[in-house]
Amino acid sequence: MIGPLYGSSFMAISKFAKEHSIAIASPFTQVNKILFNNPFVCKVTPSSTLQVEQMAHFIIDTFQTQNIILVNNGVGKEGSLINAFKTTSNEDLAKAGHSIADSVKEVNSLSAVQSRLSATKTNVIVLPSNNQSYVTEFIRGLNNSADKYKIVLFGMHSWLNYDNLDIDYLNTLSLHIPSNNFIDYQNSSTQNFIKKYREKYKREPENYVYQSFDVTYYFVSALQKFGTGFLKNIPAYNYQGLNSYFNFTQFPSESGFENKFVFILKYENFNLIKAN
């Protein structure tokens, strides 16, 4: 079963799926509670917390010797994202043999960020916030320092939906964001898909079209390859789709499966491209 797409209706149907031992996939829901105590659920979209954790892995792997500054704006509901970044980055730093206390500096304001900018290192600014007004003002102010310092800004996928962000600022600050999907229009498979879609439906495919195709193809091919008991095989069955990558993990064993793969995207030459 694929869907329902969102919220409470999925919870009701997933209960039915569990009672009848039917695999059920949630294409868009981010919340992890749908996985709890139901080993038949597959959650395709990584949670915001997981996206931040994967972003932390990328930052420590790529910028561990640079000037990393974590911005905590004090919004309570975003505390879990701050904690996720700190926990993951601290674990990675310890594995790499770096001092945790000196590697990631936590501040609570733009002025505090500006006072800690380095003239000799890349300044990696991490702002795991979904507060549109705060993010907008922060980016505008940070951009004023970009002519003196090398800055790489890490934010959230939700920022792509903000219509008041200046793309010049995002490009100048080399904005990086985590994302559960990315469409490479230079890829021949993508180009062929678009061509066939245009021929059949006389219109351009929207993002939901790519996501729907990927989800359907992945689970149907898993069913074909492994049979009706395919769920036990999907942790080892990774797949690169048109705009999604599937890498499922189940933990704990009595819960469902979550897709752990997160793209890290960045602005370069006014285009959003893959960084990982």
Side-chain angles (χ1 to χ4, degrees):
M1 299 171 64
I2 298 176
L5 300 185
Y6 300 105
S8 59
S9 56
F10 182 87
M11 295 295 291
I13 302 302
S14 65
K15 181 180 178 182
F16 173 88
K18 180 182 179 181
E19 292 171 350
H20 295 82
S21 301
I22 302 171
I24 181 169
S26 174
F28 305 126
T29 304
Q30 286 193 1
V31 293
N32 285 334
K33 68 178 182 180
I34 66 171
L35 301 173
F36 179 70
N37 200 31
N38 191 338
F40 295 94
V41 172
C42 297
K43 186 165 75 71
V44 173
T45 302
S47 66
S48 295
T49 300
L50 178 57
Q51 291 186 27
V52 169
E53 290 172 350
Q54 297 292 28
M55 186 168 69
H57 286 311
F58 177 86
I59 290 172
I60 301 305
D61 183 58
T62 310
F63 298 104
Q64 59 188 246
T65 62
Q66 304 304 310
N67 185 34
I68 304 173
I69 303 174
L70 173 64
V71 184
N72 184 351
N73 65 3
V75 177
K77 63 182 179 180
E78 294 174 354
S80 61
L81 301 180
I82 296 291
N83 291 334
F85 182 87
K86 290 195 294 186
T87 299
T88 304
S89 60
N90 286 347
E91 290 174 353
D92 286 1
L93 286 166
K95 290 176 183 177
H98 291 282
S99 168
I100 294 174
D102 298 332
S103 296
V104 179
K105 307 170 184 66
E106 184 176 350
V107 302
N108 60 9
S109 66
L110 174 61
S111 60
V113 170
Q114 292 170 326
S115 69
R116 290 174 178 256
L117 293 176
S118 170
T120 59
K121 294 183 177 182
T122 299
N123 297 281
V124 181
I125 314 302
V126 186
L127 179 61
S129 174
N130 294 302
N131 185 320
Q132 183 172 355
S133 59
Y134 183 86
V135 167
T136 303
E137 290 301 314
F138 185 94
I139 289 176
R140 184 179 295 115
L142 186 64
N143 186 69
N144 294 331
S145 300
D147 58 340
K148 299 178 183 177
Y149 302 95
K150 184 176 181 180
I151 297 174
V152 177
L153 176 63
F154 281 80
M156 299 297 293
H157 184 263
S158 61
W159 295 12
L160 296 182
N161 298 320
Y162 299 168
D163 56 8
N164 59 343
L165 292 183
D166 192 322
I167 193 170
D168 287 331
Y169 295 169
L170 305 185
N171 193 71
T172 299
L173 296 172
S174 185
L175 175 66
H176 288 56
I177 57 168
S179 177
N180 62 291
N181 56 72
F182 173 74
I183 303 172
D184 181 3
Y185 291 101
Q186 304 306 313
N187 183 276
S188 58
S189 295
T190 303
Q191 293 173 351
N192 187 50
F193 178 86
I194 294 173
K195 179 183 178 181
K196 290 183 177 180
Y197 189 90
R198 287 171 176 167
E199 291 173 352
K200 184 173 181 62
Y201 297 106
K202 313 303 180 186
R203 58 182 299 179
E204 294 296 307
E206 299 177 345
N207 282 343
Y208 282 139
V209 171
Y210 298 100
Q211 291 176 270
S212 300
F213 178 84
D214 282 351
V215 170
T216 304
Y217 187 92
Y218 176 81
F219 285 104
V220 170
S221 63
L223 177 63
Q224 181 186 43
K225 185 178 181 67
F226 303 112
T228 56
F230 70 87
L231 283 178
K232 65 179 180 292
N233 299 102
I234 66 169
Y237 183 50
N238 298 339
Y239 170 72
Q240 172 69 67
L242 293 173
N243 88 329
S244 306
Y245 189 92
F246 298 92
N247 179 16
F248 284 98
T249 300
Q250 182 186 33
F251 183 80
S253 58
E254 65 272 13
S255 293
F257 298 83
E258 182 177 21
N259 184 15
K260 295 286 188 179
F261 188 84
V262 174
F263 292 102
I264 304 298
L265 309 180
K266 68 175 180 179
Y267 275 95
E268 184 176 287
N269 296 324
F270 297 94
N271 290 310
L272 199 57
I273 64 173
K274 282 194 298 184
N276 65 337

